[in-house]
Amino acid sequence: MTLHGYFRSSSSYRCRIALNLKGLAYEQVAVHLVKDGGQQKSPAYKALNPQGLVPTLEVDGLVLTQSPAILEWLEETHPEPALLPTGAADRAAVRAFCAVIACEIHPLQNLRVLQYLDTAFGQGAEGKEIWCQRWIGDGLAACEALLAKRPASRYAFGEAPGMAEVYLLPQIFAARRFKVDLSAMPRLSAIAEACEALPAFAEAHPSRQPDAE
Amino acid sequence: MTLHGYFRSSSSYRCRIALNLKGLAYEQVAVHLVKDGGQQKSPAYKALNPQGLVPTLEVDGLVLTQSPAILEWLEETHPEPALLPTGAADRAAVRAFCAVIACEIHPLQNLRVLQYLDTAFGQGAEGKEIWCQRWIGDGLAACEALLAKRPASRYAFGEAPGMAEVYLLPQIFAARRFKVDLSAMPRLSAIAEACEALPAFAEAHPSRQPDAE
C-alpha cells in the first residue's frame, strides 16, 4: 500500500492511524500542500486524484480517495482489529461522532478554506484564528456532549481505540495548533492522552513523518 | 420512524430520499432553522440532539444523528434495495463521491456558516454568494471529474440510483439556489434530471414538504 499524503493533513493523519491500528505496512509519498504552489495541484498528482486533495491510498493498482471512504474500505477489507463496533446502533453512534469531525469541523479549517478567507475576504492571521477557534471549539464541544451521555470508558466508545479516535486525534492536534481552549473538554483530553501513549497513534503523529518540518 | 428536519436542509433531504428509496414510512417533525432564533437551539430539541443540528431520526426510542451515520444505519438495518454496491472497491468509489459532497461542499454552505460570515466578517448577500459558488462549483466539478473516469450509465454508478444520488440531488438543489453554473457538468445534470422523474426523489423535494415556504 502507498499513502500519498502530507504530514500535517488531518485526513492523511487519520489514514496513518487506521493503517497502524490494523498493523498494515505502507509506504508514504509526500505531497507538499504549500511548496511549488501546492504539489497536490500538479498534473501528475491530479491524474491520480482528480480533486487534487490528499490523501490517496494506492493498493495494487486500486486508487482510493477521500479519507472517510478509505477508512470504511480498510474496515471492510481488513476487519481485524475492528475499528467499528458490531451492532448497527453502536456503529451509528460512532459514525455520528466521526461525522461531527469530518463534516462539521475539519472542512472549515483546512488549508484551502483558510487561504480563501485570506484572498477573498482579506482575513489575516487573527481573523483566521477566530474562525478556526469557533468551528473547532463548537464541534469538539458537541463531541464532548455526545460522550457525556455515555458511561465512562477509557476511550470514546469502550476500552479499545477505534474509528472515533482515528478522527479525534488529528482534530485535537489541529485544535492545539489553532489555540482552541480544550479545558471544558476533559473527556476528549483524557482520550487523547490515552491514545498518545499507544505506538499506533504516536507513530502516526505529524512530527514523526518523513516530510515533517 | 420520526424524522426531525427542515424542508430546505440538505442533510434532511438526503434522509428523506433514502427513506423513500427503501420504501420506509416515517413521520416528519419540522424544526425551523430560522424562526424563534432557530428552533434547533431550543432546550427540547437539544435534549434530543445535543449538537442542535438537523436531522435527527428517532426509531423506537433509538436516536440517530448526523446524516452520514443515519444513512449507513439505514443501509445496514434495511438492506433492500441496496444504496451501496456489493464489492469493497465499488463501495469505496461511491463513498468517495458522497464524501466530496458531505465533507468538501455542504459544510461550507450551510446556514450557520453563512450567518457567521455575515456577523464576524461582514459579508453580505454578494460575498456569501461568491463563497457558495466557489465551494459548490469546485466540489461538483470534482464529482463530475470522478464520473468522467467511469463508463457511461444512467445514474452515477450504474442503472439504479443509490447513495451517490442521495447526496447529489440535495447538493444540486442548493447549487441552483446559489446560482452555481452547472453548464460544465453535463453528467451530473443528466443524473439529476433522471432522479427528478422518480417518485422517491420528487416526494423528498423541499417544495413538497409540510413545512415548505
Side-chain angles (χ1 to χ4, degrees):
Chain A
M1 296 191 187
T2 303
L3 182 67
H4 301 257
Y6 180 56
F7 73 107
R8 204 153 50 195
S9 136
S10 285
S11 45
S12 304
Y13 188 1
R14 289 174 197 159
C15 293
R16 294 193 300 263
I17 296 170
L19 288 161
N20 292 352
L21 282 171
K22 288 186 177 287
L24 298 167
Y26 57 101
E27 285 179 18
Q28 291 200 61
V29 175
V31 181
H32 200 292
L33 300 189
V34 182
K35 220 180 275 179
D36 310 328
Q39 293 174 349
Q40 75 281 13
K41 298 173 193 160
S42 74
Y45 186 72
K46 288 190 90 171
L48 192 68
N49 181 330
Q51 215 190 346
L53 295 175
V54 291
T56 302
L57 185 66
E58 279 192 284
V59 188
D60 299 329
L62 177 66
V63 176
L64 301 165
T65 66
Q66 287 286 339
S67 65
I70 293 171
L71 296 168
E72 292 279 353
W73 179 90
L74 279 171
E75 184 72 353
E76 291 181 354
T77 55
H78 300 80
E80 297 298 333
L83 300 181
L84 288 170
T86 46
D90 289 338
R91 294 162 73 84
V94 174
R95 286 189 175 120
F97 181 96
C98 297
V100 173
I101 295 170
C103 305
E104 311 283 351
I105 307 177
H106 175 247
L108 292 159
Q109 52 105 88
N110 74 14
L111 183 64
R112 62 193 186 131
V113 171
L114 299 183
Q115 285 172 337
Y116 191 78
L117 284 176
D118 194 334
T119 54
F121 297 158
Q123 294 300 321
E126 197 189 349
K128 288 186 280 188
E129 197 164 281
I130 291 170
W131 169 268
C132 289
Q133 288 176 351
R134 163 64 187 262
W135 303 117
I136 301 175
D138 272 18
L140 289 181
C143 289
E144 182 83 15
L146 284 175
L147 297 187
K149 297 176 107 183
R150 306 183 57 85
S153 57
R154 182 163 175 83
Y155 297 97
F157 292 87
E159 296 308 312
M163 202 65 92
E165 288 75 19
V166 164
Y167 282 83
L168 179 62
L169 269 280
Q171 193 57 63
I172 294 276
F173 172 78
R176 289 176 181 148
R177 212 177 131 219
F178 293 114
K179 306 185 186 98
V180 176
D181 180 7
L182 298 176
S183 59
M185 302 164 201
R187 194 143 169 180
L188 297 186
S189 301
I191 294 165
E193 198 180 333
C195 288
E196 282 159 359
L198 302 175
F201 287 84
E203 288 162 14
H205 193 274
S207 65
R208 298 275 294 272
Q209 304 318 303
D211 57 330
E213 284 164 7
Chain B
M1 296 189 186
T2 303
L3 181 67
H4 301 257
Y6 181 56
F7 73 108
R8 204 152 51 195
S9 135
S10 286
S11 45
S12 304
Y13 188 1
R14 288 175 197 159
C15 293
R16 294 193 300 264
I17 297 169
L19 288 161
N20 292 351
L21 283 171
K22 288 186 176 288
L24 298 167
Y26 57 101
E27 287 179 16
Q28 291 200 59
V29 175
V31 181
H32 201 293
L33 299 189
V34 181
K35 221 181 273 178
D36 310 327
Q39 293 175 349
Q40 76 282 12
K41 297 174 195 160
S42 74
Y45 186 72
K46 289 191 87 168
L48 192 67
N49 181 328
Q51 214 190 346
L53 294 176
V54 292
T56 302
L57 184 67
E58 279 192 284
V59 189
D60 300 329
L62 177 65
V63 176
L64 301 165
T65 66
Q66 287 287 339
S67 65
I70 293 171
L71 296 168
E72 292 278 354
W73 180 90
L74 279 171
E75 184 72 353
E76 290 182 354
T77 57
H78 300 80
E80 297 298 333
L83 300 181
L84 288 170
T86 46
D90 290 337
R91 293 163 73 84
V94 174
R95 285 189 175 118
F97 182 95
C98 298
V100 174
I101 295 171
C103 305
E104 310 283 352
I105 306 176
H106 175 248
L108 292 159
Q109 51 106 85
N110 75 13
L111 183 63
R112 62 193 185 129
V113 172
L114 299 183
Q115 285 172 337
Y116 191 78
L117 284 177
D118 194 333
T119 54
F121 297 158
Q123 293 300 322
E126 197 188 349
K128 288 186 280 189
E129 198 165 279
I130 291 170
W131 170 268
C132 289
Q133 288 175 352
R134 162 64 189 261
W135 303 116
I136 301 175
D138 272 16
L140 289 180
C143 290
E144 182 84 15
L146 283 175
L147 298 187
K149 297 177 107 183
R150 305 182 59 84
S153 56
R154 182 163 177 82
Y155 297 97
F157 292 88
E159 297 308 310
M163 202 64 92
E165 287 76 18
V166 164
Y167 281 83
L168 178 63
L169 269 282
Q171 194 57 63
I172 293 276
F173 171 78
R176 290 176 180 148
R177 213 178 130 218
F178 293 114
K179 306 187 184 97
V180 176
D181 181 6
L182 299 176
S183 59
M185 302 164 201
R187 192 142 170 183
L188 297 185
S189 301
I191 294 166
E193 198 181 332
C195 289
E196 282 159 358
L198 302 175
F201 288 85
E203 288 162 14
H205 194 275
S207 65
R208 297 277 294 273
Q209 304 317 304
D211 57 331
E213 285 164 5

